[in-house]
Amino acid sequence: MDDALKKISWPIRTQRLSLRRVTSADVEALWRYRQLAEVTQWITAGPETL
């Protein structure tokens, strides 16, 4: 799948949204988001700690 992602012209922007590839600077924010109860109920597997 990584090859497919390389073909995309990043960032992808719409009128209300901007998507970019994740970076190492995003790790802590993503971890905090993943720990929210409303998120973890939909994630069936993953690490217990950062």
Side-chain angles (χ1 to χ4, degrees):
M1 174 148 83
D2 193 55
D3 289 338
L5 292 176
K6 289 179 182 177
K7 295 177 183 178
I8 297 173
S9 179
W10 298 99
I12 298 170
R13 290 192 171 97
T14 70
Q15 194 170 20
R16 298 177 7 194
L17 179 68
S18 179
L19 298 175
R20 62 173 174 77
R21 294 201 69 169
V22 68
T23 69
S24 58
D26 299 318
V27 170
E28 287 189 42
L30 287 170
W31 181 252
R32 286 191 307 270
Y33 176 77
R34 192 199 177 293
Q35 298 308 301
L36 296 173
E38 58 267 35
V39 175
T40 58
Q41 72 178 343
W42 300 104
I43 300 174
T44 58
E48 300 272 330
T49 63
L50 180 61

